[in-house]
Amino acid sequence: MKIENRLKEMGIKLPDAPAPAANYVPSVIVGDIVYVSGQVSSNTNGLIKGKLGSTMSTEDGVNAAEACAISLLAQVKNACGGDLEKLVRVIKLTGFVNSTPEFMDQPTVINGASDLLVEVLQESGRHSRSAVSAVSLPFGVAVEIEGIFQIKL
């Protein structure tokens, strides 16, 4: 099944690829690999802010990570000239969770992104991953995730 059809079936509409917030590019292509800069948690209501273990529940963090995954897909689509069918597979995600020192469930939070990508892309969505805590993230967001993807040339 085509990726765009799968997203539509899941009720997901990719936003326009978010513009960078500082002096960097949203993605870099080297050969058949796309390196996507960190995507902060946001949705149609704006930035998803908070600190896991304090002002946000784990479930809220999972939802924030899903939003990051949607932004990652939007960036890959943009890098592929609007053709998401050029996406071959997800290689690696690195997830950062704005959390208290006591919060220990970062992997569950980042599962929000991993699970969404596997649901959309099936076997091609399986990837290696890191999930780490951060004392703070840009703009006070809850989650930031960067990704490495393989594409068809």
Side-chain angles (χ1 to χ4, degrees):
M1 174 181 285
K2 291 192 176 280
I3 297 169
E4 295 276 5
N5 291 343
R6 182 76 177 126
L7 287 167
K8 188 175 182 179
E9 181 180 282
M10 293 172 62
I12 297 171
K13 182 179 182 332
L14 292 184
D16 291 335
N23 187 18
Y24 63 90
V25 294
S27 64
V28 172
I29 300 174
V30 177
D32 66 344
I33 305 298
V34 178
Y35 297 85
V36 178
S37 296
Q39 300 297 297
V40 297
S41 50
S42 65
N43 58 26
T44 56
N45 297 320
L47 296 174
I48 302 170
K49 298 181 179 185
K51 186 172 283 291
L52 279 291
S54 174
T55 63
M56 292 185 83
S57 69
T58 300
E59 183 178 331
D60 291 335
V62 167
N63 292 335
E66 288 175 353
C68 291
I70 291 168
S71 291
L72 286 166
L73 288 173
Q75 292 292 1
V76 171
K77 180 178 179 178
N78 188 57
C80 292
D83 185 2
L84 198 52
E85 295 311 311
K86 290 183 177 178
L87 175 58
V88 174
R89 73 166 298 121
V90 182
I91 297 172
K92 181 167 195 234
L93 298 181
T94 303
F96 303 92
V97 180
N98 186 353
S99 55
T100 64
E102 300 78 27
F103 186 78
M104 300 292 170
D105 219 4
Q106 290 83 5
T108 300
V109 170
I110 302 304
N111 276 348
S114 294
D115 292 347
L116 184 135
L117 291 170
V118 170
E119 188 174 354
V120 171
L121 303 169
Q122 296 157 344
E123 196 59 33
S124 297
R126 298 198 181 282
H127 52 272
S128 63
R129 186 184 86 179
S130 299
V132 297
S133 179
V135 68
S136 69
L137 289 173
F139 315 112
V141 297
V143 178
E144 180 175 352
I145 303 176
E146 63 182 24
I148 303 172
F149 302 83
Q150 181 182 22
I151 61 170
K152 296 175 196 166
L153 297 178

